Amino acid sequence: MQSQTRRGLPKMVKKVLTWGGIAFLIFFVAYRPQSAAEVVKSIGGALMDIAGGFGDFFASLFG
């Protein structure tokens, strides 16, 4: 019985953290929309920089 409880614990923790993250995201967007927009812009900019770096790498590799 105890081994089943231990196996279910990581799933429960994952579920609690997932729902907690979703609740925080909704709260953040609802009460700080400007800050949330800036975070999304920053993440988008970082992803674009990473994509540009990969593009430059492959262009140099095959060019």
Side-chain angles (χ1 to χ4, degrees), residues 30-45:
Y31 287 98
R32 302 279 187 203
Q34 293 293 341
S35 298
E38 288 299 321
V39 168
V40 171
K41 284 181 187 178
S42 296
I43 292 171

Side-chain angles (χ1 to χ4, degrees), residues 6-35:
R6 287 186 181 165
R7 277 189 240 144
L9 187 61
K11 289 181 181 180
M12 185 177 69
V13 170
K14 182 179 177 183
K15 186 181 286 189
V16 167
L17 290 176
T18 299
W19 283 108
I22 291 170
F24 176 75
L25 181 64
I26 291 170
F27 175 81
F28 189 56
V29 170
Y31 287 98
R32 302 279 187 203
Q34 293 293 341
S35 298

